[in-house]
Amino acid sequence: MNQRLSGIAASNGIAIAKAFRLENPELIVKKTSISNSNAELKRFESALDQSKSELEKIKAQTAQQMNDEEAAIFSAHLLVLSDPELLGPITEKIKLENVNAEFALQETANMFIGLFESMDNDYMKERAADIRDVTKRVLAHLLGVSIQNPSMITDEVIIIAEDLTPSDTVQLNPQYVKGFITDIGGRTSHSAILARTLEIPAVVGAKTVMSSIQNGMIVIVDGLEGDIIVNPDQKTIASYEDKKARYEQQKSEWAKLKNEPTITSDGYHVELGANIGTPKDVAGVLEHGGEAIGLYRTEFLYMGRNQFPAEDEQVEAYASVLKQMNGKPTVVRTLDIGGDKELSYLKLPKEMNPFLGFRAIRLCLEMEEMFRTQLRALLRASIHGNLKIMFPMIATIEEFRQAKTLFLDEKAKLEKKNIAISKTIEVGIMVEIPSTAVMADIFAKEVDFFSIGTNDLIQYTMAADRMNERVSYLYQPFNPAILRLVKIVIDAAHKEGKWVGMCGEMAGDEIAIPILLGLGLDEFSMSASSILKARSQILKLSKKEMERHTETILSMSTSQEVETYVKKISVTE
Ligand code: PEP
Ligand code: MG
């Protein structure tokens, strides 16, 4: 009873439900000789049938919970399962070589996957990805191993997993998934960010949950403190139900501030924006009183599918966000793939250090056509609202100039075709690489704005992988090294009359907020669910007073000193 575990608090709230383990089974195939090929063929057919009916169900479920586009992946998988080009050689192999179905399937599938992947043709590369996924499903049936699909959960559960990929997380339905706990990951891993968007309580980086929690055990997730209680007794359940009710009560107090502007006690206005991943998230932003969208992570439009989204589809998504925001500032970030965000159909070689690798703007500048398509879609959508575009992972001024040139080129081409485009699109960059923070004065002359991406800026400054819980102690937003970089960026921008936002998770942190206010940050962008809490805090703070503390804070030696000091001086809940 009451086994206590702990991890990193990743998404606020408390949930109590039974555990559901999400496992990624290992599929080991051995070659064996068989004596009855007809029986083996039957076994293969039955595995195919089981896979088909499973895929039909997942497809229907996904179409209902998400949309038809997400469900299209499963239609492609179903097509593979009835493709004679693939099935023919497998049955031949079983009949002629007298080998087991698992082996025949794996050999044949690997041959096609290798062939398609080697072709210089995106369509064929996508087919390889489909075959790989489908093969896994059929193999699991043949081997009697179950594979799970988060979108199929129809019971109230808390997911227990080693890790959740962003595409797993996209499939989570908050109606049933009440919380999740993972062994690995940090507060700024993308599954944690998505949990905050979906408002699902989560604890990540808990290290031992997969080895200590079994299916069906009752679990409490305290996403406020990062605590997990397994098999709680009645008294513990009652006390957490109480805590949950208090948290809900607090939330309804904050909700009263929904339509208030964010003005400090000494009359200074800051903009409180939200970070979103899809057009569907805008409803939550407005619901929580967001004054802007400070970061739209467009990569989610590219994920969970088999090919790049077409230009028109992108226009629709961007226009939908802009229209819903009804003239409020909307910062859209161009594709930031790589790091912990993969695209299965973009078959890039595995890298030793994906966070330092071929990602974001580096990839977009090389895959120019794909990037131009996104820029065109943004330009075409721009007339529907107050669009600002920013480029991720800018490390040098040349990268910015190159990206801006492509933007201007596409703009000129559309103008020539008399396509309507907003006249006021601002073009800025994310400051998330230390070289760019240090050179902010040079960038400030050419960009329209900066948005500081502390999730990456901290990992690169401290050389501490944001996904690795073993080095999470180095992930220190209040380290004076980070604060000094932030100051450099804000001062450089203001000198050129440009504005600065922050869209890393630090912007919604209650210790960071008073410091950032003192440093002069203009816009704070965070998970929608943090906005009202932040507003209630800022209303009580005085900017002038925080400015007076800035020098003392920046001259401190450690993150801990800063934290203790800010707790003492600022008015918090
Ligand atoms: C960041 O790095 O701070 C950021 C906001 O971008 P992402 O978390 O998507 O890398
Ligand atoms: Mg980043």
Side-chain angles (χ1 to χ4, degrees):
M1 280 288 185
N2 275 356
Q3 185 193 357
R4 279 177 183 272
L5 302 169
S6 69
I8 299 162
S11 177
N12 284 341
I14 288 165
I16 308 172
K18 58 180 196 267
F20 179 97
R21 290 166 62 91
L22 197 63
E23 311 198 42
N24 205 357
E26 217 182 327
L27 301 171
I28 300 165
V29 173
K30 289 199 187 96
K31 181 180 181 180
T32 53
S33 309
I34 47 138
S35 49
N36 183 346
S37 60
N38 279 339
E40 195 62 7
L41 285 173
K42 278 220 172 68
R43 205 165 71 82
F44 180 54
E45 262 160 40
S46 132
L48 282 181
D49 289 344
Q50 282 173 293
S51 305
K52 279 185 203 163
S53 65
E54 211 168 71
L55 282 168
E56 291 286 1
K57 268 196 238 152
I58 297 171
K59 187 180 144 192
Q61 195 100 17
T62 314
Q64 200 188 1
Q65 282 170 16
M66 309 284 155
N67 53 47
D68 287 344
E69 285 151 39
E70 316 273 357
I73 298 185
F74 303 109
S75 305
H77 287 189
L78 280 162
L79 277 180
V80 174
L81 282 184
S82 25
D83 185 351
E85 299 273 345
L86 174 73
L87 302 182
I90 300 172
T91 47
E92 289 285 287
K93 223 176 172 58
I94 297 174
K95 275 196 283 199
L96 300 177
E97 297 177 25
N98 287 323
V99 289
N100 54 329
E102 290 89 334
F103 181 75
L105 167 63
Q106 194 172 57
E107 284 276 290
T108 314
N110 283 348
M111 191 271 289
F112 279 109
I113 292 169
L115 185 71
F116 291 168
E117 278 184 349
S118 67
M119 291 183 188
D120 191 19
N121 173 324
D122 285 348
Y123 180 79
M124 296 319 281
K125 287 196 170 125
E126 286 146 26
R127 298 289 75 78
D130 291 340
I131 297 175
R132 195 190 299 278
D133 268 15
V134 170
T135 305
K136 191 169 141 199
R137 189 172 295 281
V138 183
L139 271 182
H141 282 297
L142 284 168
L143 294 166
V145 176
S146 65
I147 50 171
Q148 299 153 315
N149 202 306
S151 70
M152 294 300 284
I153 296 171
T154 52
D155 231 359
E156 292 200 353
V157 296
I158 286 169
I159 289 194
I160 314 293
E162 193 189 355
D163 189 18
L164 283 176
T165 61
S167 49
D168 280 333
T169 321
V170 180
Q171 291 186 54
L172 303 182
N173 180 349
Q175 191 186 344
Y176 300 118
V177 177
K178 295 294 161 197
F180 73 71
I181 313 171
T182 61
D183 273 343
I184 60 178
R187 209 184 132 71
T188 57
S189 54
H190 284 93
S191 51
I193 293 171
L194 275 168
R196 290 194 282 280
T197 304
L198 295 168
E199 295 189 51
I200 299 176
V203 173
V204 299
K207 296 190 182 91
T208 57
V209 287
M210 279 307 263
S211 54
S212 29
I213 304 180
Q214 297 311 316
N215 271 327
M217 285 179 166
I218 298 294
V219 178
I220 300 176
V221 185
D222 180 348
L224 299 162
E225 310 288 342
D227 290 334
I228 300 153
I229 295 106
V230 189
N231 281 334
D233 55 29
Q234 279 313 319
K235 206 169 127 216
T236 311
I237 294 184
S239 85
Y240 273 94
E241 267 165 357
D242 210 43
K243 187 169 178 186
K244 187 171 176 208
R246 281 200 310 272
Y247 180 64
E248 296 301 328
Q249 167 66 25
Q250 171 110 78
K251 279 206 323 198
S252 58
E253 282 300 315
W254 291 331
K256 294 181 188 149
L257 304 174
K258 180 176 159 184
N259 298 315
E260 301 284 317
T262 317
I263 298 178
T264 60
S265 63
D266 54 343
Y268 178 81
H269 178 253
V270 294
E271 196 164 73
L272 273 193
N275 299 345
I276 62 162
T278 75
K280 277 187 285 183
D281 300 337
V282 181
V285 176
L286 300 172
E287 174 77 29
H288 288 99
E291 295 164 82
I293 284 175
L295 166 65
Y296 171 11
R297 291 183 165 93
T298 56
E299 44 278 8
F300 294 107
L301 186 61
Y302 291 68
M303 285 166 34
R305 53 191 301 148
N306 295 319
Q307 63 202 80
F308 290 123
E311 185 175 325
D312 285 352
E313 188 186 337
Q314 293 193 46
V315 175
E316 206 179 303
Y318 307 147
S320 153
V321 172
L322 289 166
K323 282 184 204 161
Q324 292 180 73
M325 288 306 286
N326 199 15
K328 294 193 172 108
T330 304
V331 183
V332 182
R333 176 173 77 185
T334 57
L335 183 64
D336 179 10
I337 212 69
D340 65 337
K341 292 170 289 193
E342 287 179 21
L343 289 188
S344 57
Y345 53 90
L346 197 68
K347 287 278 169 284
L348 294 170
K350 277 254 167 292
E351 296 183 320
M352 295 284 282
N353 288 306
F355 275 106
L356 300 181
F358 184 56
R359 57 173 292 203
I361 198 70
R362 306 167 182 188
L363 183 141
C364 286
L365 291 175
E366 198 168 303
M367 302 186 68
E368 201 182 296
E369 269 322 304
M370 179 212 53
F371 188 42
R372 281 178 182 271
T373 306
Q374 183 173 37
L375 293 171
R376 263 196 314 277
L378 284 166
L379 284 157
R380 284 173 53 199
S382 66
I383 41 159
H384 297 289
N386 184 356
L387 173 68
K388 301 169 196 298
I389 297 177
M390 71 179 168
F391 304 126
M393 293 290 294
I394 293 285
T396 67
I397 192 82
E398 290 101 323
E399 282 173 340
F400 172 69
R401 287 179 185 151
Q402 224 180 317
K404 176 101 190 259
T405 304
L406 294 176
F407 168 80
L408 292 175
D409 190 40
E410 287 305 322
K411 185 162 174 249
K413 282 198 243 168
L414 290 175
E415 278 166 348
K416 220 170 167 183
K417 289 189 199 155
N418 284 326
I419 291 175
I421 295 170
S422 157
K423 299 256 174 298
T424 54
I425 308 173
E426 292 183 2
V427 180
I429 60 167
M430 297 227 16
V431 180
E432 48 187 343
I433 297 182
S435 60
T436 301
V438 171
M439 298 287 276
D441 56 334
I442 305 290
F443 282 95
K445 294 189 171 53
E446 300 187 31
V447 302
D448 293 325
F449 66 92
F450 288 134
S451 182
I452 307 177
T454 46
N455 304 342
D456 280 318
L457 185 64
I458 300 170
Q459 85 164 340
Y460 297 135
T461 306
M462 305 298 290
D465 183 345
R466 66 195 260 192
M467 300 288 290
N468 184 341
E469 68 287 349
R470 295 188 72 175
V471 295
S472 63
Y473 75 98
L474 281 171
Y475 205 86
Q476 301 177 351
F478 321 122
N479 188 302
I482 303 299
L483 302 177
R484 289 182 191 192
L485 283 177
V486 170
K487 180 174 165 50
I488 291 175
V489 177
I490 296 177
D491 289 351
H494 287 175
K495 201 158 165 232
E496 295 296 330
K498 310 289 167 70
W499 64 271
V500 186
M502 179 178 285
C503 58
E505 292 303 306
M506 182 175 170
D509 185 288
E510 67 180 334
I511 302 291
I513 286 173
I515 309 175
L516 297 169
L517 205 59
L519 287 170
L521 190 74
D522 303 295
E523 179 238 38
F524 296 64
S525 191
M526 57 195 70
S527 311
S529 54
S530 306
I531 290 178
L532 290 167
K533 182 179 178 205
R535 179 167 297 150
S536 115
Q537 185 187 3
I538 293 173
L539 294 180
K540 293 179 210 138
L541 289 169
S542 150
K543 178 169 155 59
K544 289 231 166 57
E545 199 180 316
M546 288 319 303
E547 278 169 0
R548 278 199 291 276
H549 292 290
T550 302
E551 215 184 297
T552 315
I553 292 171
L554 291 184
S555 63
M556 288 180 164
S557 323
T558 67
S559 170
Q560 191 54 54
E561 266 176 67
V562 172
E563 194 171 337
T564 312
Y565 184 79
V566 175
K567 275 188 185 149
K568 215 166 60 201
I569 59 165
S570 68
V571 189
T572 49
E573 284 292 328

